[in-house]
Amino acid sequence: MDHLLASLARLRETWPPSPWEWDARFEAVASSFAIGLEPEVRESARNAFPRGWTAKSIDTAPEPFRELAARTGLRSRQRVLGGDALTAPALFGLWWPWAGDDRITLRIGIMNATAAANARLRAAFAA
């Protein structure tokens, strides 16, 4: 668990001043930001999530990410994000643009997380 949280440290350091919240629906921390911050935020997200798949490319993702996409209802313009060899497939990101094209939400979670793991994730992001 410590290595998962450590992999998120650079993302937290470079994240814009958008607060993190707990999204119980996805058991993930979530932060929304204005679309104008997308280039900066994408770079921040790449610190923890160097891999990503869209609805068109999800078939090439490892099985846990395909299952996540099916469970969350991945749509066009949305992405499922994955970490490097040390953090995948335990760590996931969901990159979801809003319908009005003015905001995007990034959700970060741990697949098959225990309540204790989710509590540590929430604490790390003050969510």
Side-chain angles (χ1 to χ4, degrees):
M1 179 68 190
D2 289 335
H3 71 284
L4 292 179
L5 294 178
S7 73
L8 296 170
R10 183 77 179 127
L11 180 147
R12 289 191 318 266
E13 291 168 7
T14 58
W15 197 255
S18 299
W20 290 92
E21 303 174 343
W22 180 249
D23 185 335
R25 184 174 60 151
F26 295 99
E27 293 190 355
V29 294
S31 182
S32 298
F33 54 90
I35 194 79
L37 295 174
E38 183 176 8
E40 172 187 342
V41 174
R42 270 190 190 267
E43 193 60 36
S44 178
R46 279 191 195 103
N47 287 304
F49 300 108
R51 303 183 304 159
W53 302 273
T54 64
K56 289 183 180 180
S57 65
I58 194 65
D59 291 341
T60 66
E63 180 62 28
F65 295 101
R66 292 194 308 267
E67 290 173 6
L68 177 66
R71 191 171 67 247
T72 60
L74 184 67
R75 298 181 182 146
S76 67
R77 299 181 46 237
Q78 297 175 337
R79 298 177 76 76
V80 172
L81 306 176
D84 61 21
L86 295 176
T87 60
L91 199 59
F92 70 84
L94 298 172
W95 183 272
W96 286 15
W98 291 21
D101 287 335
D102 60 340
R103 297 191 68 73
I104 297 173
T105 298
L106 174 63
R107 291 174 178 85
I108 298 172
I110 302 167
M111 292 193 196
N112 304 313
T114 63
N118 278 338
R120 290 190 62 195
L121 178 66
R122 290 180 75 171
F125 284 86

